[in-house]
Amino acid sequence: FGVERIAVIWIGAVLAMQNVFSVGMLIAYLAYKDQFAQRVSGLIDKWMEFRMLRLHGERLADIVLTEPEATETSAGGQPLPGSLRIEVDGLGFQYAPGESWVLRNCTFEVEPGESVAIAGPSGCGKTTLLKLLLGLLEPTEGQIRIGGVPLKKIGMEHYRAVIGAVMQEDQLFAGSISDNIAFENEGMDEGRVQEAARLAAVHDDIAAMPMGYNSLIGDMGTTLSGGQKQRVILARALYRSPRLLFLDEATSSLDVERERLVNDAIRRLELTRIIIAHRPETIASADRILVMHGGSIVRGARDSGATERDLQLPSGVPA
């Protein structure tokens, strides 16, 4: 742009010296040229903003046009059953029609109080399966039943009141450690906060901080290490006293000793656990292993096309 302006002034100065037009005409031309360029640039910017309205409209439509979740008091919402036996029957999922299946023909059961690890190679659909079990995604085909009742018919606020989850992308927010563990719940119980921190093997780290549980951790937990963040997020899930606990690589940033402490503490809790993990120590802490390969539960079958490395079965744990 600077070179173009210098060239225009140079050409105009030459023409003015040749009496083709006056100096006043040159100054007027340059002023109108700048004004024209600014208006054209502004018009292009407005046109791009106008084109972006379509994208914003599509994003708003995803929210506005989504059907409300069923609640216990809404039409079709059913109360939570007493037994929390999880049944997955012929589950399949694809993110959009015509796309490849992320999950297909997944069938398994998890008994109340059982600890089940889901193992398998990266990209086989483990995290998507967990999101379906949490009710964050709706299956394309098949059913998830809790105590014999289809998940989509259960009031979701009551279902989520009895579950705790740690996902790979979970984050902390600016505030104190106790606020992050209690997650801004009304009537925060300091005793429960500390008990949850002990179970997550992070209590000693917090107690060593100058302000203890009132220590501020900054936006997204910038003052904590990766392992400390993960344990605080786990404590947040345990603070809810869940009956169903879903963990997606919840100890991937921990050293072996702290991972063992966390696994031992969680194992003693009377709750149903579904654990997604790659590390053998965490997988071995489960009562049973479900192996995923190619978007399906293949258990320990050797005729499924999965290699020995894909199956990742530690010794001594039934598949």
Side-chain angles (χ1 to χ4, degrees), residues 61-128:
D62 287 341
I63 300 172
V64 175
L65 301 180
T66 298
E67 295 184 4
E69 291 181 339
T71 64
E72 187 173 351
T73 56
S74 66
Q78 297 184 23
L80 196 68
S83 171
L84 297 184
R85 182 174 188 266
I86 300 174
E87 303 171 70
V88 177
D89 184 15
L91 193 66
F93 179 78
Q94 53 185 167
Y95 282 98
E99 293 189 2
S100 59
W101 289 88
V102 181
L103 299 174
R104 199 74 190 273
N105 300 323
C106 283
T107 301
F108 62 91
E109 302 84 29
V110 179
E111 299 295 335
E114 188 177 19
S115 175
V116 174
I118 301 177
S122 298
C124 67
K126 300 186 298 296
T127 297
T128 300

Side-chain angles (χ1 to χ4, degrees), residues 177-186 188-189 193 236 239:
I177 293 178
S178 59
D179 286 340
N180 272 275
I181 294 177
F183 209 53
E184 298 291 344
N185 286 346
E186 295 182 3
M188 179 175 59
D189 187 335
V193 168
R236 174 195 295 170
Y239 175 82

